[in-house]
């Protein structure tokens, strides 16, 4: 960790801030430090070094990082959402390279994290936030040389292949896995058949889960745009619904639609994107060293609840039991 701290300190020399403290926060996809200056302003310094193989190489590519910062700047200027706005270095650049490492600096976003969304009021606030992000994205002209990954059917297919490998090795229940594979194939067909328009496809956060939402009073603030990319706007809602109680979801959608319209057949499609989010996150979970201890049980619950309903054409978006109950 000392080597990373030395890189962090050297990177900070390229910014017009006088540091009072530099504190290590975490290392996963990136190595993150909280920086506080003499005026008690706080920043998030990211060294784009992942822990082991936690991150695909594309996410630390200079052009991809530059594009993330460009969108964050546009969101800062064009919305009233409090988010990690990017800071330029003394050369007027978003990316600082130190010791062959790309570094970026963002304004720190203060607030309280919640393990799940506990109230219908919180769900409504989150709906408004997502609606504002999608409204900006749908009206934003993508700049030249803008490069971010796309969240399409190919990512679901990757997850399905991993599930097959685990099931063939006897690590997952064959019956549960078969249901997930059928559901995944249906989701891929749905995504491939959807026409991409300015109202349904654009830049999305792609990871709007409780750990990336912080609350300050009645305001909810998004953080960690590191996974942002192109996708259907319903992808964001599908991810978030994984952590929203079914009885709160209608309120979230009502609040969302104040800022960005929902398609006519949004319930059926959202159920598909909920399944897509579950499958894609499994691709990450299956790589965790302790996943075999708890993931088979989670997959069993999912297969017997939402997956089964989805394959039987039974609506589940506003009913059922969430995974944490």
């Amino acid at each position: 960790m000392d080597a990373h701290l030395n890189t962090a300190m050297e990177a900070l020399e390229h910014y017009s801030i006088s540091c009072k403290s530099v504190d290590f926060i975490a290392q996963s996809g990136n190595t993150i430090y909280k920086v506080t200056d003499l005026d008690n302003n706080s920043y998030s310094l990211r060294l784009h070094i992942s822990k082991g193989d936690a991150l695909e190489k594309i996410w630390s590519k200079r052009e991809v990082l530059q594009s993330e910062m460009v969108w964050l700047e546009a969101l800062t200027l064009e919305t009233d959402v409090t988010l990690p706005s990017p800071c330029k270095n003394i050369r007027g650049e978003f990316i600082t390279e130190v010791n062959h490492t790309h570094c970026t600096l963002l304004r720190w976003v203060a607030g309280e994290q919640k393990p799940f969304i506990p109230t219908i009021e919180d769900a409504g606030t989150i709906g408004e936030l997502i609606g504002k992000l999608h409204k900006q994205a749908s009206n934003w002209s993508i700049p030249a040389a803008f490069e971010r990954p796309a969240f399409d059917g190919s990512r679901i297919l990757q997850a399905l292949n991993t599930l097959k490998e685990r099931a063939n090795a006897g690590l997952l229940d064959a019956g549960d896995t078969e249901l997930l594979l059928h559901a995944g194939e249906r989701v891929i067909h749905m995504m491939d058949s959807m026409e991409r328009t300015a109202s349904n496809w654009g830049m999305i956060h792609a990871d709007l889960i409780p750990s990336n939402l912080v609350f300050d009073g009645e305001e909810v603030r998004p953080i960690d745009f590191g996974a942002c990319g192109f996708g259907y706007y319903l992808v964001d809602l599908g991810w978030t619904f994984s952590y929203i109680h079914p009885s709160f979801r209608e309120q979230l959608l009502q609040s969302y639609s104040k800022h960005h319209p929902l398609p006519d057949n949004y319930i059926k499609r959202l159920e598909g994107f909920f399944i897509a989010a579950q499958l894609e996150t499994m691709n990450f979970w299956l790589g965790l060293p302790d996943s075999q201890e708890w993931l088979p049980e989670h997959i069993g619950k999912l297969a017997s609840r939402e997956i089964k309903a989805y394959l039987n054409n039974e609506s589940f978006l506003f009913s059922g039991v969430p995974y944490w109950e």
Side-chain angles (χ1 to χ4, degrees), residues 244-274:
I244 300 283
H245 197 284
S247 61
F248 297 167
R249 292 173 183 166
E250 190 167 3
Q251 179 60 59
L252 186 150
L253 292 175
Q254 288 178 9
S255 300
Y256 172 90
S257 62
K258 294 176 185 177
H259 301 277
H260 190 73
L262 289 161
D264 292 337
N265 55 346
Y266 69 89
I267 293 179
K268 186 174 182 179
R269 287 186 172 176
L270 256 179
E271 289 175 339
F273 282 112
F274 174 95

Side-chain angles (χ1 to χ4, degrees), residues 281-314:
T281 198
M282 277 181 203
N283 216 25
F284 171 74
W285 284 341
L286 286 165
L288 298 177
D290 65 341
S291 64
Q292 202 57 37
E293 299 174 12
W294 54 270
L295 188 55
E297 181 182 357
H298 174 78
I299 289 176
K301 286 183 179 180
L302 182 66
S304 65
R305 296 175 182 179
E306 290 91 351
I307 295 288
K308 184 177 180 181
Y310 182 66
L311 292 174
N312 290 335
N313 297 312
E314 299 169 356

Side-chain angles (χ1 to χ4, degrees), residues 39-40 58 63 76 90 109 136 138 151 169 177 214 229 239 305:
D39 295 321
N40 288 322
I58 188 173
E63 293 81 2
T76 301
I90 55 178
V109 177
Q136 187 278 340
S138 65
F151 292 87
T177 303
V214 296
W239 274 101
R305 296 175 182 179

Side-chain angles (χ1 to χ4, degrees), residues 176-207:
D176 290 343
T177 303
E178 191 68 20
L179 290 175
L180 266 62
L181 294 177
H182 285 312
E185 289 165 1
R186 180 182 288 191
V187 167
I188 291 171
H189 176 73
M190 177 194 75
M191 295 175 75
D192 289 347
S193 64
M194 288 175 64
E195 180 184 3
R196 296 178 183 180
T197 67
S199 64
N200 72 9
W201 173 277
M203 283 296 294
I204 58 174
H205 183 286
D207 199 16

Side-chain angles (χ1 to χ4, degrees), residues 232-248:
Y232 291 108
Y233 297 126
L234 293 183
V235 169
D236 269 345
L237 293 171
W239 274 101
T240 305
F241 275 15
S242 299
Y243 301 87
I244 300 283
H245 197 284
S247 61
F248 297 167

